[in-house]
Amino acid sequence: MARTFSFLIVALLAGAAVPFQAGANAMLGRLLGHPLWATFVSLGVSAVLIVPVMMGFKLPVPAVGMAVKGPWWIWIGGAAGVVYITAALLLAPKLGAASFIVAVIAGQMVASLVIDHFALMGFAHRPVTVARFAGLALIVGGLVVTQWASTIAPPANQPDFNPAQKGDSK
């Protein structure tokens, strides 16, 4: 139980990095002139950063021949990364961080329930239950509420909350 909790905390922290990734990559795309350049640079930075980590762990050279003999779908991870990074570059600035991320989470949950239910991609079979479907419904409800809240303008006499601004309200 404690180990599972620790894993959930690490996953939570990893998830917390995602909106920062989307924002940083979106700005990079604007500065480089096109989102695809930012995708390329972002993946290049990832490659440069992972090499010292692999060297630190003293990882042996992989048996690429074994990977070539694997199922076709093992190669879609990189493509999924490109799709996600490019979508984040294009959509996060338009939707806002919260709406973009909650939409991503809803999409991840739908795909995850399908993967678990049909035991795809090497995952154990975990059928869709009423409770798991209710969790998905809550996330989709959160998506609807978050998007709805984004369309509501604040009252004219109430300024937007911006914690970066120090108030001189007297």
Side-chain angles (χ1 to χ4, degrees), residues 82-144:
V82 169
V83 168
Y84 172 75
I85 292 171
T86 304
L89 286 162
L90 295 171
L91 301 175
K94 291 175 178 35
L95 295 173
S99 292
F100 174 73
I101 293 300
V102 77
V104 166
I105 292 169
Q108 289 172 336
M109 282 301 300
V110 169
S112 297
L113 286 177
V114 169
I115 289 168
D116 281 353
H117 185 77
F118 294 105
L120 302 175
M121 305 187 84
F123 284 93
H125 178 248
R126 290 188 172 92
V128 174
T129 62
V130 172
R132 293 182 100 204
F133 189 78
L136 172 62
L138 288 170
I139 290 170
V140 171
L143 169 61
V144 170

Side-chain angles (χ1 to χ4, degrees), residues 17-28 84-85 88-89 92-93 97 100-101:
V18 173
F20 294 100
Q21 176 193 28
N25 284 341
M27 178 58 76
L28 182 62
Y84 172 75
I85 292 171
L89 286 162
F100 174 73
I101 293 300

Side-chain angles (χ1 to χ4, degrees), residues 143-167:
L143 169 61
V144 170
V145 170
T146 302
Q147 190 56 39
W148 172 71
S150 295
T151 64
I152 299 173
N157 62 351
Q158 181 181 359
D160 287 338
F161 174 71
N162 184 350
Q165 292 178 335
K166 302 285 183 194

